[in-house]
Amino acid sequence: EAGVTQFPSHSVIEKGQTVTLRCDPISGHDNLYWYRRVMGKEIKFLLHFVKESKQDESGMPNNRFLAERTGGTYSTLKVQPAELEDSGVYFCASSQDPHRISPLHFGNGTRLTVT
Amino acid sequence: GDSVTQMEGPVTLSEEAFLTINCTYTATGYPSLFWYVQYPGEGLQLLLKATKADDKGSNKGFEATYRKETTSFHLEKGSVQVSDSAVYFCALSSGSARQLTFGSGTQLTVLP
């Protein structure tokens, strides 16, 4: 079984540019999550999809961030325009059931550097 | 709101030493508690979990006991190996939340 895959693994962009991160969850997993770790601090929740619907987007920092999951398969997270404080590692995770029952499967993350 | 506080790192130990990484939490209700581990170049993996008070989670020689009275979930291992070098994250989920609240992570380096 393929795990959660994310790409790119690294991205370096200039302030003001646009970046799109992609996440492919494990096949059949309806629940997809985005998390972010900034500056070696705690990992913070961004949002949660159930299939193609946004179940909870309370962690999205501002309207420069746009997440989509068309067709309920892969998801993209777009940052436009990027700011310096957006630098960090963006993790995607998926689960078949709500994670209180089954564990979250995480991808390796995308390291975003905004210069 | 919910929060997790874990021991500041980095932690450096010699092989076969005893490991404790402290974790305390603040949450509404009765959260489920987790330890995740991130090995170099990899994603986070669930190491162990406990879903109610006094439960002990264990895996790969690691243990943690859910202590409601002290709101703690400290991670322990009796004899660490070089291969245990990684970043360890304490986390919780509470109520109907379908999200995890993480601590800041503790970098562990084990020297041969």
Side-chain angles (χ1 to χ4, degrees), chain A residues 1 11 57 68 71 86 106:
Chain A
E1 173 185 79
S11 180
E57 53 184 329
E68 295 181 323
D86 300 332
F106 280 84

Side-chain angles (χ1 to χ4, degrees), chain A residues 1 19 38 59 64 69 88 102 112:
Chain A
E1 173 185 79
V19 63
V38 174
R64 295 186 293 104
R69 192 183 182 194
S102 66
L112 175 64

Side-chain angles (χ1 to χ4, degrees), chain A residues 31 33 35 37 40-45 48 50 55-56 58 91 98-108, chain B residues 30 32 34 36 38 41-44 46 49 51 87 89 93-105:
Chain A
N31 294 275
Y33 304 79
Y35 286 84
R37 189 183 192 207
K41 296 184 179 178
E42 66 270 19
I43 299 171
K44 289 195 172 181
F45 168 80
H48 170 208
V50 177
Q55 183 77 16
D56 180 355
S58 61
F91 293 102
H99 69 76
R100 293 178 66 204
I101 300 172
S102 66
L104 285 182
H105 299 264
F106 280 84
N108 289 359
Chain B
Y30 301 95
S32 294
F34 307 84
Y36 277 81
Q38 184 183 20
E42 299 183 12
L44 282 80
L46 178 65
K49 69 178 182 181
T51 57
V87 182
F89 294 91
S93 69
S94 68
S96 60
R98 293 187 176 191
Q99 56 173 276
L100 290 170
T101 299
F102 284 91
S104 57

